[in-house]
Amino acid sequence: QVIRCRAAVAWAAGKPLSVEEVEVAPPKAGEVRVKIVASGICRTDDHLLEGCFPNGEFPVIPGHEGAGIVESIGEGVTYVKTGDKVILLCLPQCGECSFCLNPESNYCVKSHLASPQNLMPDKTSRFTCKGKQINHFLWLSTFAEYTVIPECAVAKIDAAAPLDKVCLLGCGFSTGYGAAINTAKVKPGSTCAVFGLGGVGLSAVMGCKVAGASRIIAVDINKGKFAKAKELGATDCISPQDFKKPIQDVIMEMTGHGVDYSFEVIGNPDTMIAALASCNVNTGVCIMVGELDAGTTIAIDPMLLLSGRTWKGTLLGGMKLR
Ligand code: NAD
Ligand code: ZN
């Protein structure tokens, strides 16, 4: 039956979230209803709230970094049962499409970049509030005490897993760590620069460290992030605001020819170019992790790439999430 519980609802772009009583319908065929125990907050939720997430629709329940316990299952669900602990997946894994079957790919054709996930796959919502239909976000909507998601967007986990920690595997940690390990494939002894030290950027620092990087330059305008970055493996921490010259010139001077791998984990066109220009002019690899506002384009001097650099993006750090 319908569950009444609390959820943080965004009624319109640019407006603060408001905690409301909502109704959560039972799961339909192929869906699961999950009691959310913990949810992280990622900058992507903020992009949605600002109205800058591609195809985001209001009113909506945001949140996409959750872990919880299966409350009930819809018809035909075999992967999980009531009581199982699960992590919700930002990138579904249907296991059947050509991308899911490709071991090199972590992108499922059912993901939000292929078609918006404002509603469940049958194009209806499981949430109502004050008589209005509320949109889902990425099929997850973890800022609710209960949510309904497709079976392909959960991963069953160990019953002993601490949900308040493992929820970060659903997006932020997997993205940053995987960007270093899977997408860049950082080599031992190499040099790295990470732009942006939020949850995702700090996870990229951890990935570089585990991959054996000898130097990890962490870049942020908020120096309050430096202590944590050093604890996790950064060898140098710099703020662009402390220099008159562009930060890419500073990094060139620090390293001689630029770093081997750079990561943009902010979501800003200027820092995307700075990160690209900070890596070695010939063999450097720059990974774009940050998300730009929907519709933003970047003008680049093609010489930045002509000399051999590689510029790549990553979705969820190349992880097959399940
Ligand atoms: P966050 O807001 O917690 O961290 C961003 C950091 O960048 C902050 O520490 C901030 O001080 C710093 N910063 C802002 N402007 C700067 C500038 N001009 N120069 C240097 N530092 C600057 O964000 P987060 O949750 O870590 O997410 C980071 C980005 O990654 C976001 O754009 C988010 O949408 C994106 N993201 C992408 C994926 C993916 O699959 N590619 C997944 C999750 C998040
Ligand atoms: Zn798939």
Side-chain angles (χ1 to χ4, degrees):
Q1 61 278 47
V2 171
I3 290 179
R4 268 171 227 287
C5 65
R6 289 175 305 164
V9 178
W11 290 102
K15 294 273 159 54
L17 285 167
S18 103
V19 175
E20 310 276 3
E21 188 177 81
V22 299
E23 294 85 38
V24 185
K28 292 191 185 175
E31 301 175 356
V32 251
R33 191 160 57 181
V34 176
K35 177 184 165 62
I36 297 291
V37 175
S39 176
I41 301 175
C42 164
R43 178 63 60 182
T44 306
D45 295 310
D46 191 62
H47 294 318
L48 172 71
L49 292 176
E50 295 298 320
C52 303
F53 190 81
N55 304 308
E57 284 198 12
F58 294 85
V60 60
I61 300 175
H64 62 282
E65 216 170 57
I69 298 164
V70 174
E71 178 272 337
S72 58
I73 57 172
E75 202 188 308
V77 170
T78 53
Y79 173 68
V80 283
K81 58 181 188 315
T82 299
D84 282 347
K85 277 190 180 176
V86 289
I87 298 177
L88 282 61
L89 307 178
C90 263
L91 206 51
Q93 200 175 321
C94 77
E96 290 164 4
C97 70
S98 60
F99 286 179
C100 279
L101 292 173
N102 177 354
E104 303 273 303
S105 159
N106 75 325
Y107 181 100
C108 174
V109 296
K110 293 184 179 161
S111 86
H112 62 277
L113 292 187
S115 71
Q117 292 173 1
N118 299 317
L119 294 168
M120 295 303 282
D122 72 351
K123 304 289 176 218
T124 61
S125 168
R126 301 292 162 270
F127 296 117
T128 51
C129 178
K130 296 176 176 161
K132 287 205 177 73
Q133 173 179 297
I134 308 296
N135 284 290
H136 294 244
F137 181 50
L138 302 181
W139 285 342
L140 305 180
S141 293
T142 63
F143 293 177
E145 290 174 311
Y146 287 86
T147 187
V148 177
I149 36 191
E151 183 181 14
C152 64
V154 299
K156 186 161 56 181
I157 55 167
D158 195 289
L163 297 175
D164 60 336
K165 299 200 170 58
V166 300
C167 64
L168 299 175
L169 294 170
C171 179
F173 177 76
S174 300
T175 300
Y177 189 81
I181 302 283
N182 299 322
T183 315
K185 296 188 168 60
V186 169
K187 291 195 188 109
S190 60
T191 55
C192 300
V194 177
F195 288 67
L197 303 173
V200 186
L202 289 172
S203 303
V205 169
M206 291 166 79
C208 294
K209 162 107 178 158
V210 167
S214 60
R215 196 167 183 196
I216 304 169
I217 303 171
V219 183
D220 203 299
I221 47 175
N222 178 354
K223 292 184 179 176
K225 307 276 181 150
F226 290 176
K228 181 62 89 182
K230 287 210 163 130
E231 199 184 301
L232 295 175
T235 54
D236 309 73
C237 292
I238 53 176
S239 166
Q241 293 171 340
D242 286 347
F243 302 92
K244 287 216 173 65
K245 62 180 85 150
I247 198 71
Q248 53 267 44
D249 295 355
V250 175
I251 292 176
M252 279 291 162
E253 276 173 20
M254 287 170 77
T255 55
H257 303 282
V259 290
D260 297 311
Y261 307 95
S262 59
F263 301 85
E264 202 276 0
V265 203
I266 300 167
N268 170 312
D270 296 333
T271 46
M272 285 197 179
I273 295 296
L276 179 60
S278 296
C279 69
N280 183 300
V281 67
N282 182 208
T283 56
V285 177
C286 176
I287 310 293
M288 183 196 308
V289 185
E291 275 169 41
L292 294 176
D293 291 350
T296 307
T297 54
I298 303 184
I300 79 154
D301 175 351
M303 284 307 289
L304 281 170
L305 293 173
L306 193 75
S307 53
R309 284 187 178 99
T310 304
W311 197 15
K312 298 173 87 172
T314 190
L315 204 52
L316 277 303
M319 300 272 187
K320 275 194 191 293
L321 286 182
R322 193 179 263 181

